[in-house]
Amino acid sequence: MKSMRKTAALLAASAALAAVSGCASTKSLTKILEDKGMPMGISTPKWVDSYIKGTVSAVQGLPEYKDKYCVIGEASGVNKLLVLAWADSFSAQQQIGTMIRTTISSAYTAKAKGSAQSSGGRNSASAQGSGSGSYEQAIDNSINSIVAAQYSGAQREGDWWTLQRNYDPDKKGLYSDEYKAYVFYTFPKSSLNQQVATALRSNEVLDPDVARVSVEIAEDIVRGGLNLEAR
């Protein structure tokens, strides 16, 4: 048990390094020393290039993924074994839950503001923060329930790792080496849209206004899909 807790803590530390590395100076120069494909002469996959040069949206724009939602996890660290262990344990369910939370939260906020502008009723006071807070709590409970749902259809498309050397252009001869790992999953758009919409409609919300808005959001998702962005 202690060993498991220690491993989990090390993986969390490795993942935390990924967040820190994202704040590095844009002036830094990078050289790839090694990657997963070099021993076998395999070129870097198109999805990796698109993600590194752009965002998940760039991968989503590739023709082969036009009917799928793309989910990419990324971590970095100086210990190769830890970084690769993180990649092996990456949870697409957890990542998609985070993305759905952001999307649904934004949708509720937009609907609440729209209601506040169109009427001076209870929603107006709640949306502006002057209500009792029950409306906001009902929304939060609804979102938690939706995020906790299990969404099927995840397909692991691939993974990749690199060993890169980062140079500081302001300090000649100064550099640092780190491993980066990327894990790529997809979800069929139509399937995930329906699953999230069903979760919204069947959500047990006591507040009638939140229940009504939940149904409206579900209908919007079925018609226009989800605006998911993981990076």
Side-chain angles (χ1 to χ4, degrees):
M1 182 63 71
K2 288 184 178 180
S3 176
M4 292 178 65
R5 285 198 296 266
K6 183 177 180 181
T7 300
L10 289 172
L11 290 176
S14 176
L17 285 173
V20 173
S21 67
C23 300
S25 169
T26 55
K27 295 194 300 180
S28 64
L29 304 175
T30 299
K31 178 182 179 181
I32 301 298
L33 303 178
E34 184 184 0
D35 64 33
K36 180 180 178 179
M38 283 185 181
M40 297 171 285
I42 299 174
S43 300
T44 303
K46 189 186 298 183
W47 66 266
V48 176
D49 275 336
S50 297
Y51 175 70
I52 292 175
K53 294 175 182 177
T55 65
V56 173
S57 295
V59 181
Q60 188 75 65
L62 297 173
E64 56 265 47
Y65 305 121
K66 66 178 182 178
D67 296 322
K68 300 177 180 179
Y69 289 118
C70 298
V71 178
I72 296 179
E74 174 186 346
S76 62
V78 297
N79 188 309
K80 180 180 181 180
L81 292 179
L82 284 181
V83 172
L84 296 185
W86 172 89
D88 286 339
S89 64
F90 175 77
S91 171
Q93 284 288 340
Q94 181 178 356
Q95 184 79 352
I96 200 71
T98 299
M99 295 162 70
I100 288 173
R101 176 182 291 278
T102 300
T103 299
I104 299 301
S105 295
S106 297
Y108 272 120
T109 299
K111 294 286 185 182
K113 286 182 178 178
S115 178
Q117 292 172 356
S118 63
S119 69
R122 180 168 155 298
N123 277 354
S124 176
S126 299
Q128 296 175 23
S130 58
S132 65
S134 60
Y135 184 69
E136 290 86 346
Q137 184 60 55
I139 288 177
D140 192 51
N141 291 340
S142 177
I143 293 172
N144 289 338
S145 177
I146 295 161
V147 171
Q150 292 295 305
Y151 297 101
S152 62
Q155 175 68 43
R156 186 174 176 123
E157 301 286 345
D159 58 75
W160 195 254
W161 63 265
T162 65
L163 171 60
Q164 64 182 46
R165 178 160 292 175
N166 303 313
Y167 297 90
D168 188 334
D170 296 327
K171 297 180 180 179
K172 187 176 181 180
L174 185 63
Y175 63 83
S176 62
D177 294 343
E178 69 174 352
Y179 287 92
K180 279 183 173 289
Y182 308 93
V183 185
F184 180 27
Y185 276 84
T186 59
F187 284 81
K189 282 186 176 180
S190 58
S191 175
L192 188 61
N193 289 346
Q194 288 292 343
Q195 290 182 69
V196 175
T198 297
L200 278 160
R201 293 193 189 102
S202 61
N203 201 8
E204 294 185 1
V205 182
L206 298 179
D207 189 295
D209 293 324
V210 175
R212 173 183 55 77
V213 170
S214 298
V215 172
E216 290 178 3
I217 295 173
E219 293 172 350
D220 290 343
I221 289 172
V222 171
R223 287 193 298 266
L226 289 156
N227 181 24
L228 298 179
E229 175 61 77
R231 182 178 180 182

